[in-house]
Amino acid sequence: MNYLQLYEALTGLLPKRIKITLINYNTGQEIGIFKIDASNLPEVFDKPLVIDIGNKRWRVMQAAPKTAADYLFSKKLILKVQDELLPANLLPFQAPTTAADKPAILPREPVDAVAKIAFDSKSVFAGASYNAAIPSVTGEIAKGGSQSPDPYILTIEETDWRQVELAAEDCLSVVTIDLHSVQQLLSEQPDALTGYRQQHTRSRQLTQTLLIPWNSFLDQLHKPVIGPLYLRRSGWVENGFTIASEHHTYYGISTNDHIRVLCLPAMPVMDDELMNIMEHFKLLLVDWCGAYCFGGITNPFEPQNNVK
């Protein structure tokens, strides 16, 4: 059962915030007590996680209780954490799987004047403006050095690249083979807060398989806001984009007015917007690290409780 979805249905009966006691993993001393919205917490603390609490990034080393089934009803959670920047006794891999491709990185930041247009959260792009936004942001290079990302840019970790992905339905057989491998790896190491001993590299057959017309995709969204994509440790993604709708944030690669890679920053709850996009463009929604997939006619990895 998806307890976070059940929680959403019961928000009128249960408090929306969870009391979190943060404890230093190395010293055992209490760092502080915080209240966090339940929607910002994972269903299960069973994989590497870095969280932002108290204006600082912490790596979760231990959690009690570990599941939403427990902490939603007790309204309490104890997290033993370590400063993300400190050396940690971690296993070699921070994700059970990785995409075969790595995005190309621009040597400079996009032109500031163009970026400000793309990042205007009040802008509503229409018609030909769609085509103008992406090539100028990803194609032109500033003469000066790189600067810190604008607040409207989606910034993701390198390990999160293509981990929640919208893939073509006709790739289901390849997706299934890769998901079997990830599922096997997860079954061998069910508790992985400190990382994974092994990592599965997915098939190159899934690299840039989409060919979705840029304008057609944006026509499916209400008031989309467009910007570039930034990898936290690498820089600006060449031909990368971010699209924020009223319900979801999408990112990926777009070339020649077509979307070639389409992803989400985290696994969402299914809603009308996603269902319409998947049906219109014949797409699968794949959670690679969770080893399951939504969509497709004969899909052995489809969850039964992910529709809102």
Side-chain angles (χ1 to χ4, degrees):
M1 177 180 292
N2 190 318
Y3 287 96
L4 288 178
Q5 290 181 40
L6 175 62
Y7 169 80
E8 286 184 356
L10 298 175
T11 49
L13 303 176
L14 298 175
K16 294 182 179 181
R17 298 170 75 81
I18 305 298
K19 179 181 176 182
I20 295 181
T21 301
L22 222 58
I23 296 176
N24 188 301
Y25 176 74
N26 297 313
T27 66
Q29 294 183 334
E30 182 179 300
I31 297 171
I33 297 176
F34 306 85
K35 289 188 176 181
I36 304 296
D37 194 301
S39 62
N40 293 325
L41 297 171
E43 177 87 8
V44 183
F45 286 90
D46 63 349
K47 56 180 63 70
L49 177 66
V50 175
I51 57 175
D52 290 282
I53 297 182
N55 297 319
K56 194 168 184 178
R57 290 173 60 82
W58 303 97
R59 184 179 302 280
V60 178
M61 305 299 288
Q62 293 180 4
K66 290 186 175 182
T67 67
D70 293 319
Y71 70 69
L72 285 178
F73 291 97
S74 69
K75 309 161 196 169
K76 297 178 181 178
L77 180 62
I78 297 174
L79 297 180
K80 293 187 177 181
V81 299
Q82 181 173 301
D83 189 321
E84 183 195 20
L85 300 178
L86 292 178
N89 186 23
L90 303 175
L91 291 172
F93 304 104
Q94 292 301 290
T97 179
T98 185
D101 69 307
K102 303 299 179 186
I105 303 300
L106 291 171
R108 298 286 191 276
E109 181 176 2
V111 178
D112 289 344
V114 176
K116 288 178 181 178
I117 296 173
F119 304 148
D120 182 359
S121 62
K122 297 180 181 179
S123 295
V124 179
F125 295 89
S129 297
Y130 290 146
N131 292 328
I134 289 302
S136 55
V137 170
T138 59
E140 295 185 29
I141 309 300
K143 294 181 180 179
S146 179
Q147 301 175 6
S148 60
D150 187 282
Y152 292 109
I153 301 169
L154 175 65
T155 299
I156 63 171
E157 301 288 346
E158 278 73 359
T159 53
D160 291 334
W161 171 250
R162 286 184 56 199
Q163 298 292 33
V164 178
E165 182 171 24
L166 287 158
E169 276 188 0
D170 56 13
C171 292
L172 179 59
S173 60
V174 180
V175 168
T176 299
I177 293 172
D178 274 328
L179 286 177
H180 274 297
S181 298
V182 177
Q183 189 179 64
Q184 178 64 31
L185 192 153
L186 293 176
S187 67
E188 295 171 354
Q189 193 178 343
D191 188 356
L193 264 177
T194 57
Y196 300 87
R197 299 181 186 90
Q198 301 179 55
Q199 185 178 70
H200 171 70
T201 299
R202 303 192 291 273
S203 172
R204 286 195 173 274
Q205 295 181 54
L206 298 174
T207 301
Q208 297 199 18
T209 58
L210 299 181
L211 198 63
I212 299 173
W214 178 255
N215 283 355
S216 296
F217 181 75
L218 293 180
D219 285 343
Q220 303 295 315
L221 308 177
H222 183 57
K223 295 183 178 180
V225 179
I226 305 166
L229 177 64
Y230 192 85
L231 291 187
R232 187 179 297 278
R233 292 174 176 80
S234 301
W236 306 92
V237 176
E238 184 176 5
N239 296 318
F241 68 84
T242 302
I243 302 174
S245 72
E246 287 190 339
H247 302 286
H248 300 287
T249 297
Y250 306 87
Y251 74 90
I253 300 292
S254 174
T255 58
N256 298 321
D257 297 327
H258 285 78
I259 293 174
R260 305 305 310 278
V261 174
L262 184 60
C263 307
L264 294 100
M267 189 64 185
V269 174
M270 292 297 297
D271 59 9
D272 288 342
E273 178 179 299
L274 270 177
M275 293 289 286
N276 290 338
I277 286 172
M278 291 171 63
E279 181 178 356
H280 186 81
F281 297 109
K282 294 181 170 49
L283 301 175
L284 306 168
L285 177 60
V286 188
D287 178 0
W288 289 111
C289 292
Y292 66 89
C293 171
F294 190 93
I297 298 175
T298 56
N299 175 10
F301 289 91
E302 183 164 3
Q304 301 301 312
N305 57 356
N306 200 42
V307 179
K308 182 166 70 174

